[in-house]
Amino acid sequence: MATRTVFMPEGDAVVPRDTGASYFSAPWAYNSLPTMGVHGFLYRDGGVGSALVRTPQTLGEAVDESGASHATALTTGFRP
């Protein structure tokens, strides 16, 4: 768990640099979790700008990447 109760001014953000081996900003296909969108932030001229730098993966894309098209391979004697 990367959070606890903290009261912050509206508009402030907390960004953990790393949350362990299977953290969401660098997922691996073996855990079958969809990748989350990643946003970059830039502080400039007293303001904050953000941009999407990786599009979130849909659940369907995660299922396909995890091998959905081969789901029955081990139960049918390797027949498609």
Side-chain angles (χ1 to χ4, degrees):
M1 196 71 171
T3 65
R4 62 188 178 118
T5 302
V6 177
F7 297 98
M8 299 174 16
E10 185 175 335
D12 280 6
V14 174
V15 181
R17 292 179 181 258
D18 187 343
T19 57
S22 294
Y23 59 102
F24 277 107
S25 63
W28 302 95
Y30 70 81
N31 59 15
S32 300
L33 296 173
T35 59
M36 295 182 71
V38 175
H39 298 265
F41 294 88
L42 180 64
Y43 294 90
R44 185 185 319 173
D45 301 327
V48 179
S50 68
L52 182 65
V53 295
R54 185 179 72 202
T55 302
Q57 189 178 38
T58 67
L59 184 56
E61 290 168 338
V63 169
D64 288 343
E65 183 179 41
S66 294
S69 63
H70 306 285
T72 61
L74 295 176
T75 60
T76 62
F78 300 105
R79 291 186 308 273

